[in-house]
Amino acid sequence: MIYSHSEVEKKLYDFWLKNNLFDLIPKSKNTKNFSVLLPPPNITGKLHLGHAWGTSLQDCIIRYKKIQGYRTFFIPGTDHAGISTQTKFEKILVENKVDRNKMTDKQFLKELNVWALAQSNHIHKQWKSLGLALNYKYETFTLDKNVNDLIALEFKKLYDKGLIYQANKLVNWDIKLQSAISDLENIKTETKGTMWYFKYFLEGDKHTFVIVATTRPETMFADTNLVVNPKDKRYIKFLGKNFINPVNNKKLKMIADEDIKIDFGTGVMKCTPAHSFEDYAIAKRNKITKFVSCINPDGKLNKNANTKIMNFEGFDRIEARQCIVAALEKLGHLIEAKPHLHNVGKSERTGEVIEPLLSLQWFVKMSPIVGNLKKLLKNHEPSYFPPRFKNVMNEWLNKTEDWCISRQLLWGHQIPVWFHKKTKKIYVDVVPPKNVKDYVRETSVLDTWFSSGLWPLATTKYGAYKKMTSDFYPIDVLLTGWDIIFFWVARMLFQCSFIDNTVSLKNIVLTGLIRDKNNKKMSKSAGNGIDPDDMISKYGADSLRATLISGANNGEDLIFDEIKIINNRNFINKLWNANNLVSNIPDTKINVEKIDYVDKWIINEFNKVLTVYKKNMDKFAFAFAWKNILDFTWETFCNTYLELTKISNNPETKKVINYIYKQILIMLHPFIPFVTEYIYQDKYKDKKSIMVEKILTTPIKVATKHTDALLLIKIFQSIKTLRIKNSLPLSKEININIVTEQKYDIKLLNLKLNKFFTNINKISNLRDSEIKEIFVENGFTIEIVSNLSNKNDEIRKNEILLSKLKNELDRSARILSNQEFIKKASKEKVKIEEEKQREYMRQYMQVEAILKKIKK
């Protein structure tokens, strides 16, 4: 049967489900638990290639742990994703010409629930297509009752300890959404703007002024001070003096702050704490507490923009900008306007320019919670892969600000706060007050990250199935992108530690971003996004998984190129074809006394690969593990050992083939589960599924020096290369001499080689000066006695090869002399590049020697 991914993959997932192969196995004294937390995807539509990458890696871990004998829990779930889901659904209503304003909140939420369920169903289909071994019986949704109860409990405990408070503070405000949003949803975009320079006159002096540069004249109505750097000699004499705000004639005292850049603008900055996070921080440091906003939540200027000098109350903040400039120019305050490139925050969901705005919101005091976490981390700190992210996390924990947790939405966890209608007394609890009719409930919902931060507990100890899942907490592995280490990973650590006094994660594995073959970040907006469903349809889930899992080391970006999927599909096809050379043998026990030296060689080679594979998989070095087993399977096992033994009549050799091939399937299973399961069921009847097989802990060991085997392999590979290079048929007999100081059994070697129309004439320590065609290997030289081609052809071929090797050496030298590469790359990556350079140099010297011999 020819390999067809669609035929192989179409029924196996249902087979795994039907046979409960993803379920929790019964507890026993000899089994250890192991959990992997699936970052719950937002139920806003289809999963993208980044999801496919992360989930493939997570599934690779869980399947590896299964074949190690662990009792595994791959924790599934989906996220309601408050802002993302509500805004997307509202857009769909607009597209379908449905008037949102004519719907009651109850109707809106009912329709949204129906739509969200449809998105969740599609996500499940994609999980199935990728072959994820998820424990569906214990799936959780962030709006499930148990999650809502846990979130309310956390809120109450924080509130009771005085760690949650309501205050009128500066937040990221989405004018269109009419809600506070998180920093993650505030996308900074480089934008062409204008820097205006205005005169601010010294109080009581019509001739002395300072020039203040700003990109936001519309906020001048809310200025509180002018600020300079204390080291700026130009303005020291003005410190403590008042200047007059040109839009409202209010006094602005000049103060000093070290964060002001002397060389930016004029060195004088207007301080507007109600409309800038930087200014808010300056005001806080300088104990400035009285300040007002000049912009309403709808984005229009408020009554503070109505002054004796000018009136722009009711104007949209953006539209008012040019009007204010024109008014100030007329008054003689405008010096100049210059083009200015700066970062402007825009809402990820609505595209609106984000307005830093004073708003009454709920906040969490971070310092005490982080302090408690730090105490726990002293003895229970997670392991980070790569380790550098430990410092990244610790740096963030040392500079946390209070967290705004309220959002003005309908879709989400409603804040468990009730206000008494008469007394205004606040009631906070998991359950409503008994006399609930006398209360009004807080209408805001919690930030999505508040529920996500409790995800490890919500899916295990506090889950709906906690009797079965509590043992899997703390979570053994969280694998996610480094870009949300602060937004999600940190929150899981400090939120779970507060409610359970534990560190929720044992191992944190971080990936980079996905980029296209031109090194551009993949995204739908950039037009270079790739649908994983399309790749699965075209090449199969196994080919896509192998490409994603092996595509990058931890913490590094993945460069996605379709040619890599094709290469991995070719490998899977090679594995498939090898099945034809593996016999179905009832008795698989190998008699090591009856196997020959080539069989012993492959067993020893496999044992080396097994050791390296386990080492890499245990430290989540998937790319290295994949390359290790791929190279062995393709070159060592298929291209060499199977070729050498396919005409063997030794029954023990067939057992060795069977043994190695089965172990290869088991080792490859975490990467390419479908094809390995399919071949396993076709070839081996030991157990109902490869998923219940175990990776070897005590492999067969054979004592042998196998020097003859090494020479045989090198000769076999060299002659195979020679035939391809010279387009020689397999039937063309090739005679060779071996030049070496070591002793070999020529009869033993020829016994194998003669079957492939190759013959060793002699083995000696003297070179034959008349023979020009040679292969130089470690410890010996192969002389080609047979005449293969004319001299000019050989010179041309070797000169081309020498040129290619020279280019590779130059490239390698550039990389290894690049200090940025040495500094940022992992030790493993640097080591690989050094090994490449040594190999290129070895090949260069070999070809150079061959050319000299030919030209003599």
Side-chain angles (χ1 to χ4, degrees):
M1 180 179 170
I2 296 171
Y3 172 65
S4 165
H5 65 265
S6 57
E7 287 297 314
V8 167
E9 297 175 5
K10 68 180 180 180
K11 294 180 180 178
L12 284 175
Y13 202 81
D14 289 335
F15 164 79
W16 289 326
L17 289 175
K18 184 180 178 181
N19 287 276
N20 302 314
L21 291 164
F22 301 160
D23 291 358
L24 299 180
I25 61 174
K27 294 180 183 179
S28 72
K29 293 181 180 179
N30 299 321
T31 56
K32 294 181 180 179
N33 291 334
F34 196 93
S35 54
V36 173
L37 189 67
L38 177 87
N42 297 347
I43 50 167
T44 50
K46 297 175 68 176
L47 301 181
H48 52 63
L49 199 61
H51 289 117
W53 181 22
T55 54
S56 295
L57 287 166
Q58 293 147 16
D59 191 64
C60 184
I61 296 170
I62 213 74
R63 288 180 183 269
Y64 174 63
K65 290 301 173 181
K66 280 183 178 293
I67 61 174
Q68 279 190 311
Y70 282 85
R71 182 172 176 260
T72 61
F73 184 23
F74 191 5
I75 306 170
T78 48
D79 196 328
H80 70 282
I83 289 177
S84 303
T85 304
Q86 182 167 322
T87 54
K88 185 157 187 176
F89 183 63
E90 286 172 343
K91 287 178 183 177
I92 290 170
L93 291 179
V94 172
E95 290 169 5
N96 293 330
K97 298 179 180 179
V98 176
D99 190 347
R100 162 72 179 91
N101 295 320
K102 291 182 179 179
M103 300 172 71
T104 65
D105 290 348
K106 190 175 181 180
Q107 286 174 323
F108 177 78
L109 288 172
K110 183 179 178 181
E111 292 296 322
L112 178 48
N113 266 296
V114 172
W115 180 80
L117 180 61
Q119 308 316 304
S120 179
N121 289 337
H122 186 82
I123 288 169
H124 279 73
K125 289 178 182 177
Q126 289 186 286
W127 286 343
K128 178 179 180 179
S129 296
L130 284 163
L132 307 185
L134 293 160
N135 297 76
Y136 289 107
K137 287 183 180 179
Y138 313 110
E139 185 175 353
T140 306
F141 179 44
T142 50
L143 292 183
D144 285 348
K145 185 182 182 302
N146 72 288
V147 184
N148 194 66
D149 289 348
L150 174 61
I151 289 164
L153 177 65
E154 170 103 338
F155 189 98
K156 176 175 169 51
K157 284 191 173 184
L158 287 165
Y159 183 82
D160 289 347
K161 286 184 176 288
L163 299 177
I164 280 183
Y165 62 96
Q166 192 179 31
N168 195 43
K169 294 177 67 174
L170 202 64
V171 298
N172 294 311
W173 185 260
D174 187 322
I175 301 296
K176 186 174 182 180
L177 191 62
Q178 287 290 288
S179 175
I181 66 169
S182 72
D183 288 338
L184 185 64
E185 291 147 338
N186 182 12
I187 308 301
K188 301 292 184 180
T189 308
E190 196 170 65
T191 306
K192 290 180 180 178
T194 303
M195 182 76 81
W196 288 278
Y197 294 77
F198 298 109
K199 295 177 184 177
Y200 281 60
F201 282 90
L202 184 67
E203 182 186 16
D205 189 340
K206 294 181 179 180
H207 303 287
T208 304
F209 60 86
V210 292
I211 300 171
V212 178
T214 180
T215 59
R216 300 201 64 197
E218 70 274 15
T219 65
M220 290 170 68
F221 299 101
D223 291 351
T224 61
N225 295 84
L226 295 185
V227 197
V228 296
N229 190 292
K231 296 178 182 178
D232 196 334
K233 295 178 181 178
R234 295 173 295 175
Y235 305 113
I236 291 176
K237 61 184 178 181
F238 295 126
L239 288 175
K241 294 184 178 181
N242 293 328
F243 287 79
I244 304 302
N245 189 329
V247 299
N248 57 16
N249 277 346
K250 287 189 176 181
K251 297 175 185 179
L252 304 175
K253 181 191 257 188
M254 183 175 280
I255 61 174
D257 193 277
E258 291 184 349
D259 272 12
I260 303 301
K261 295 178 180 178
I262 295 174
D263 58 351
F264 181 76
T266 63
V268 185
M269 190 186 89
K270 71 186 195 69
C271 184
T272 319
H275 296 292
S276 164
F277 284 98
E278 292 80 6
D279 295 9
Y280 189 85
I282 290 171
K284 189 176 179 181
R285 284 195 294 272
N286 288 274
K287 298 180 180 178
I288 299 167
T289 57
K290 293 182 179 180
F291 45 85
V292 295
S293 172
C294 62
I295 300 173
N296 284 327
D298 62 359
K300 293 180 180 179
L301 298 188
N302 63 24
K303 63 181 182 180
N304 291 314
N306 184 353
T307 72
K308 292 180 180 180
I309 298 173
M310 59 186 72
N311 181 9
F312 292 104
E313 184 179 359
F315 278 61
D316 177 82
R317 72 202 196 285
I318 305 298
E319 294 172 358
R321 189 173 293 168
Q322 290 294 344
C323 299
I324 295 167
V325 171
L328 288 170
E329 184 177 20
K330 191 174 181 180
L331 292 168
H333 286 280
L334 178 65
I335 298 288
E336 64 177 330
K338 291 181 180 179
H340 180 68
L341 202 63
H342 61 142
N343 286 323
V344 175
K346 290 187 178 181
S347 171
E348 182 183 26
R349 306 304 168 189
T350 65
E352 280 288 330
V353 173
I354 292 301
E355 185 62 49
L357 203 68
L358 288 173
S359 179
L360 185 63
Q361 302 288 343
W362 291 93
F363 295 86
V364 174
K365 290 182 182 178
M366 291 298 299
S367 184
I369 303 172
V370 170
N372 179 63
L373 172 62
K374 285 180 179 178
K375 290 177 183 177
L376 290 172
L377 290 176
K378 287 181 180 180
N379 297 315
H380 304 283
E381 187 156 26
S383 297
Y384 290 84
F385 300 86
R388 69 177 183 272
F389 283 102
K390 173 184 175 181
N391 293 331
V392 173
M393 176 66 79
N394 289 334
E395 283 175 17
W396 184 83
L397 291 175
N398 288 329
K399 57 180 182 182
T400 53
E401 297 288 336
D402 285 1
W403 171 24
C404 175
I405 58 171
S406 47
R407 300 290 182 265
Q408 289 61 57
L409 303 169
L410 288 174
W411 180 250
H413 297 279
Q414 195 171 356
I415 292 177
V417 171
W418 288 261
F419 302 94
H420 196 277
K421 292 176 182 178
K422 290 183 179 180
T423 66
K424 306 303 178 184
K425 184 179 179 182
I426 295 176
Y427 173 91
V428 178
D429 207 339
V430 178
V431 294
K434 291 180 181 179
N435 49 339
V436 70
K437 291 181 180 180
D438 296 331
Y439 286 81
V440 175
R441 187 167 184 178
E442 168 66 63
T443 56
S444 298
V445 299
L446 288 162
D447 178 11
T448 297
W449 297 106
F450 195 90
S451 58
S452 299
L454 291 166
W455 199 237
L457 283 170
T459 54
T460 55
K461 283 182 81 172
Y462 288 79
Y465 311 97
K466 56 188 176 185
K467 288 183 179 179
M468 293 295 293
T469 59
S470 291
D471 291 347
F472 291 94
Y473 182 87
I475 303 299
D476 287 285
V477 172
L478 170 76
L479 185 146
T480 190
W482 62 260
D483 55 328
I484 57 171
I485 188 171
F486 306 136
F487 295 103
W488 188 39
V489 181
R491 283 181 168 84
M492 283 191 284
L493 292 175
F494 70 70
Q495 281 188 258
C496 292
S497 70
F498 175 78
I499 202 165
D500 196 65
N501 202 37
T502 54
V503 177
S504 57
L505 306 168
K506 294 180 182 178
N507 296 284
I508 300 170
V509 184
L510 296 157
T511 65
L513 306 173
I514 289 196
R515 300 182 180 275
D516 64 18
K517 61 183 179 182
N518 298 315
N519 204 33
K520 291 182 180 178
K521 182 183 174 182
M522 274 194 179
S523 68
K524 192 182 292 183
S525 58
N528 61 351
I530 290 176
D531 189 337
D533 291 350
D534 293 340
M535 294 295 100
I536 291 172
S537 177
K538 192 173 181 180
Y539 300 108
D542 282 334
S543 298
L544 177 62
R545 284 174 59 114
T547 303
L548 295 174
I549 295 171
S550 65
N553 298 315
N554 293 330
E556 296 179 359
D557 292 349
L558 185 149
I559 307 300
F560 187 85
D561 189 345
E562 204 166 331
I563 192 67
K564 295 178 181 178
I565 302 187
I566 294 170
N567 291 338
N568 282 317
R569 192 187 187 285
N570 291 339
F571 168 70
I572 292 170
N573 195 63
K574 186 81 173 179
L575 182 73
W576 180 270
N577 291 335
N579 187 34
N580 297 323
L581 298 174
V582 180
S583 304
N584 284 313
I585 305 168
D587 178 19
T588 57
K589 188 175 181 181
I590 299 168
N591 185 342
V592 294
E593 301 299 324
K594 295 183 178 180
I595 61 175
D596 68 16
Y597 66 104
V598 177
D599 298 328
K600 291 178 180 179
W601 167 78
I602 194 65
I603 289 172
N604 281 320
E605 290 299 302
F606 168 75
N607 289 346
K608 292 177 193 174
V609 168
L610 179 63
T611 300
V612 174
Y613 170 87
K614 287 180 178 179
K615 181 181 177 182
N616 284 322
M617 291 296 282
D618 288 340
K619 62 181 182 180
F620 313 110
F622 309 107
F624 292 112
W626 172 257
K627 188 178 186 306
N628 176 246
I629 188 63
L630 180 144
D631 289 347
F632 172 80
T633 303
W634 198 320
E635 293 300 328
T636 308
F637 182 70
C638 293
N639 286 354
T640 303
Y641 180 69
L642 287 185
E643 290 292 323
L644 276 169
T645 58
K646 65 183 178 183
I647 53 177
S648 172
N649 294 319
N650 185 352
E652 296 305 318
T653 295
K654 291 181 180 180
K655 291 180 184 180
V656 172
I657 294 171
N658 184 288
Y659 164 78
I660 299 291
Y661 189 62
K662 180 180 177 182
Q663 299 311 316
I664 286 172
L665 293 177
I666 294 170
M667 291 164 71
L668 286 172
H669 179 71
F671 296 87
I672 47 176
F674 288 104
V675 70
T676 50
E677 179 71 86
Y678 192 97
I679 295 173
Y680 179 88
Q681 291 188 24
D682 173 66
K683 187 66 60 182
Y684 304 100
K685 310 298 179 184
D686 305 28
K687 296 176 182 177
K688 65 179 177 182
S689 168
I690 195 171
M691 288 185 69
V692 294
E693 280 285 359
K694 299 291 180 288
I695 195 166
L696 286 175
T697 53
T698 53
I700 296 171
K701 293 182 179 180
V702 288
T704 175
K705 294 180 180 178
H706 61 269
T707 53
D708 289 315
L710 292 177
L711 179 59
L712 174 69
I713 302 309
K714 288 295 182 182
I715 293 171
F716 181 78
Q717 292 171 339
S718 298
I719 299 304
K720 191 175 181 180
T721 302
L722 189 72
R723 288 185 188 277
I724 294 170
K725 187 177 81 170
N726 293 278
S727 303
L728 299 176
L730 294 176
S731 57
K732 164 73 176 177
E733 186 172 325
I734 296 177
N735 290 291
I736 62 174
N737 294 333
I738 303 298
V739 182
T740 179
E741 296 292 334
Q742 297 183 47
K743 292 183 179 181
Y744 292 97
D745 189 331
I746 192 169
K747 289 183 179 180
L748 189 67
L749 292 167
N750 275 334
L751 193 65
K752 294 280 188 185
L753 291 170
N754 288 170
K755 294 175 181 178
F756 300 95
F757 300 96
T758 303
N759 184 71
I760 303 173
N761 288 355
K762 64 178 182 179
I763 299 177
S764 71
N765 60 359
L766 297 174
R767 277 278 289 114
D768 188 333
S769 59
E770 298 299 317
I771 297 176
K772 310 300 182 187
E773 185 83 29
I774 62 167
F775 281 91
V776 180
E777 298 289 346
N778 290 331
F780 59 88
T781 299
I782 302 172
E783 297 179 337
I784 309 301
V785 178
S786 304
N787 184 29
L788 303 178
S789 60
N790 65 60
K791 183 176 180 179
N792 290 334
D793 286 345
E794 284 305 300
I795 290 173
R796 187 172 66 255
K797 286 179 184 178
N798 281 285
E799 283 179 340
I800 291 171
L801 180 56
L802 199 69
S803 177
K804 288 180 179 178
L805 289 168
K806 176 66 166 60
N807 290 337
E808 289 297 332
L809 281 168
D810 290 344
R811 181 198 63 79
S812 191
R814 285 195 301 272
I815 290 174
L816 291 173
S817 62
N818 186 332
Q819 292 305 309
E820 283 297 309
F821 170 78
I822 300 297
K823 184 179 177 182
K824 293 181 178 179
S826 63
K827 291 181 180 179
E828 292 87 349
K829 195 166 186 178
V830 174
K831 185 179 179 182
I832 288 173
E833 194 58 47
E834 289 172 344
E835 289 174 353
K836 282 183 183 178
Q837 188 183 52
R838 285 193 290 271
E839 178 60 20
Y840 291 142
M841 180 56 71
R842 187 191 69 77
Q843 292 180 27
Y844 184 89
M845 294 174 68
Q846 174 183 323
V847 175
E848 193 175 45
I850 291 170
L851 266 174
K852 287 180 181 178
K853 298 290 183 183
I854 296 172
K855 289 179 178 179
K856 278 186 180 180

